[in-house]
Amino acid sequence: MMEIERLKNIKHREEIEQKRKLSQKEGALVIIEQIKERELERIKQQELQEREKHQMLEQIDKLKVEEEIQLKKERELAR
């Protein structure tokens, strides 16, 4: 009778250990998924910043050209 109780106890502890390991594994998978999502978001933000940077540089170049044209016109009118 004591042997049966001991075996039940061992089996119960093994089940608890298996559930704990499964829970740990699931938790790790959630963390890994969160890390991947954050990395993708970081990449998207970098791409957005890069596009905005290029747009600003293009706008600056455009304004410089317009300013040069305006200065040429003003010089010609001043003659």
Side-chain angles (χ1 to χ4, degrees):
M1 193 68 154
M2 289 181 71
E3 182 66 18
I4 293 172
E5 289 300 318
R6 187 179 73 79
L7 293 174
K8 283 183 183 178
N9 192 7
I10 290 172
K11 184 177 180 180
H12 179 69
R13 280 187 265 148
E14 287 175 352
E15 289 172 355
I16 290 173
E17 183 65 17
Q18 285 177 346
K19 287 179 183 178
R20 185 187 67 78
K21 286 181 181 180
L22 181 62
S23 178
Q24 261 186 334
K25 186 180 263 187
E26 289 172 350
L29 291 174
V30 168
I31 291 170
I32 290 169
E33 189 62 32
Q34 288 175 344
I35 290 170
K36 287 178 183 178
E37 288 173 3
R38 288 182 185 147
E39 180 66 14
L40 285 174
E41 185 60 33
R42 185 185 66 77
I43 290 170
K44 287 179 185 177
Q45 287 298 321
Q46 281 182 330
E47 289 173 352
L48 177 62
Q49 287 177 344
E50 198 63 32
R51 282 195 301 271
E52 289 174 347
K53 176 184 168 186
H54 286 292
Q55 288 174 345
M56 283 180 121
L57 291 173
E58 287 175 2
Q59 185 66 24
I60 289 170
D61 288 341
K62 182 179 176 183
L63 289 171
K64 283 181 182 179
V65 169
E66 289 175 1
E67 185 177 341
E68 288 175 13
I69 292 171
Q70 185 65 31
L71 283 173
K72 285 181 182 178
K73 286 181 181 178
E74 288 175 3
R75 287 181 190 146
E76 288 177 9
L77 287 176
R79 288 184 184 175

